[in-house]
Amino acid sequence: MRATIKDVSREAGVSIKTVSRVLNNERYVGAATREKVLAVVERLNFRPSMAARTLAGSRSYQVALICDNPSPYYVYEMQVGIRERCERDGVRMLAQPYDRESPQLERDIGALIDTMPLDGLILTPPVTDYPAVLARLAERGMRFVRVSPSTEPMLSPSVHIDNHAAAAEMARHLIGLGHRRIGFIAGHPSYAASGQRLAGFAAALAEAGIAVDAALLRTGTYDFQSGAAEADALLSLAEPPTAIFASSDDMAAGALATAHRRGLRVPDDVSIAGFDDTALASVVWPALTTIRQPVREMASNAADLLLSGDPASSERRTIAHMLVVRQSTAAPRG
């Protein structure tokens, strides 16, 4: 038979209220008592009833992730990071995919919060900056945390990396190797990070006294196909770049495939760099130099802000990025 909270209370030799406090991660429970209760919970495989917990208080012990991203890696890491943090508090995560191009996006999210009991939402780009959605959530009094917002920073708690600084660091790496003609493939315009990374790239070029050549700037959609197509356009120029910096690893992998198809050696003939440090970055050949965006850590922090942060706060957490140098970049020939 399924264990009950009474069984846990009896086995641990503590009151039901104490068991409840441990399960809800509340204060005023000694470390030894907490460990004893959790050990019994594990041994009895006790799982609290979500319905009973909801009836006992105003919380639903459910949060929703609103996510639409062309990178399966990003979505997976975001879900894992949130789920791991939620499990610590006995909270269920619901993953709600959406279509950023849908004219019914605001209505769909409104229907979700109207019909599903939720303690809050975690919004990812680009919906994290959609005014109509933000207004609908504020109107409903729904708590939410945003990942990588670029507008109204005081509107809600948020987490982000410094995309401008990260892109500038990659550009400096390529410039430091001796590259002066560097192609840049930006991401989808609906993502604020796309503009931030382009601005960081341009700032690093200006810092080195290199003029931005519009012919070397292309726009993709964060996926393999667009990276391959835009790299083909760059490498077809009369004076092609000696290096290509793509705003995502998926696009960089596409650029790598295009270079191989054209018979170019990477990095001897052209250096290629990406952004994100997805699992893909280390398995393509040659392995990609990239910027590590710790998506799982960002997700965990977003969930932490939602579950344990001050509901009225506008705390912003900046998560550190890292330049990861691998075999796809080197000094240009000659």
Side-chain angles (χ1 to χ4, degrees):
M1 294 179 62
R2 179 174 175 173
T4 68
I5 194 169
K6 290 182 179 180
D7 297 325
V8 176
S9 169
R10 183 179 61 256
E11 291 288 325
V14 298
S15 68
I16 291 176
K17 182 62 176 177
T18 297
V19 175
S20 178
R21 283 175 174 161
V22 171
L23 294 174
N24 291 323
N25 200 27
E26 295 179 9
R27 303 175 185 175
Y28 315 119
V29 180
T33 300
R34 186 180 299 276
E35 289 180 10
K36 181 168 62 174
V37 170
L38 291 176
V40 173
V41 166
E42 183 67 24
R43 179 161 55 84
L44 297 182
N45 193 30
F46 172 69
R47 296 293 179 267
S49 164
M50 192 67 68
R53 295 174 73 190
T54 302
L55 288 172
S58 58
R59 295 183 61 188
S60 68
Y61 294 92
Q62 296 187 130
V63 299
L65 165 65
I66 307 297
C67 191
D68 173 29
N69 191 286
S71 168
Y73 167 87
Y74 182 94
V75 175
Y76 172 77
E77 290 292 296
M78 185 64 60
Q79 290 180 353
V80 170
I82 294 171
R83 188 175 66 246
E84 287 177 347
R85 175 61 186 86
C86 284
E87 285 178 349
R88 284 167 43 193
D89 284 9
V91 173
R92 177 182 292 130
M93 181 204 74
L94 307 175
Q96 181 70 30
Y98 68 89
D99 178 4
R100 64 179 176 272
E101 305 295 343
S102 170
Q104 298 189 135
L105 175 59
E106 177 197 352
R107 187 187 311 166
D108 291 343
I109 294 178
L112 171 69
I113 61 179
D114 286 343
T115 59
M116 182 70 65
L118 296 171
D119 290 334
L121 298 175
I122 296 173
L123 308 178
T124 61
V127 75
T128 192
D129 286 318
Y130 283 8
V133 171
L134 300 178
R136 175 66 68 93
L137 296 178
E139 175 186 300
R140 295 291 198 282
M142 174 62 66
R143 288 192 65 192
F144 59 93
V145 172
R146 295 181 293 163
V147 177
S148 301
S150 66
T151 60
E152 300 188 72
M154 305 303 291
L155 184 63
S156 72
S158 63
V159 298
H160 69 287
I161 67 165
D162 190 334
N163 283 290
H164 185 285
E169 186 171 356
M170 178 61 79
R172 292 190 195 102
H173 166 70
L174 296 172
I175 293 167
L177 291 173
H179 293 281
R180 293 297 179 269
R181 282 189 65 75
I182 305 172
F184 183 81
I185 305 177
H188 196 287
S190 66
Y191 289 79
S194 300
Q196 294 164 356
R197 293 172 190 176
L198 174 57
F201 170 76
L205 262 60
E207 179 184 281
I210 302 172
V212 175
D213 184 346
L216 296 177
L217 303 180
R218 308 292 299 184
T219 300
T221 52
Y222 283 125
D223 58 3
F224 180 96
Q225 291 78 8
S226 66
E230 299 307 332
D232 196 49
L234 288 169
L235 294 171
S236 297
L237 293 172
E239 189 179 355
T242 61
I244 295 174
F245 175 20
S247 290
S248 76
D249 288 341
D250 283 7
M251 292 197 298
L256 196 61
T258 291
H260 291 326
R261 178 176 57 78
R262 296 173 71 103
L264 298 175
R265 295 171 299 170
V266 179
D268 297 341
D269 298 322
V270 59
S271 286
I272 295 176
F275 200 112
D276 288 328
D277 196 25
T278 65
L280 180 64
S282 59
V283 298
V284 294
W285 178 81
L288 285 171
T289 291
T290 188
I291 292 291
R292 178 172 297 158
Q293 177 177 213
V295 177
R296 189 176 299 194
E297 185 180 353
M298 294 169 67
S300 179
N301 273 268
D304 187 62
L305 284 168
L306 188 62
L307 298 174
S308 62
D310 180 354
S313 82
S314 54
E315 180 182 351
R316 302 191 73 198
R317 294 185 185 176
T318 302
I319 311 301
H321 66 272
M322 180 187 299
L323 171 65
V324 181
V325 179
R326 296 195 180 99
Q327 293 76 45
S328 67
T329 55
R333 289 190 304 172

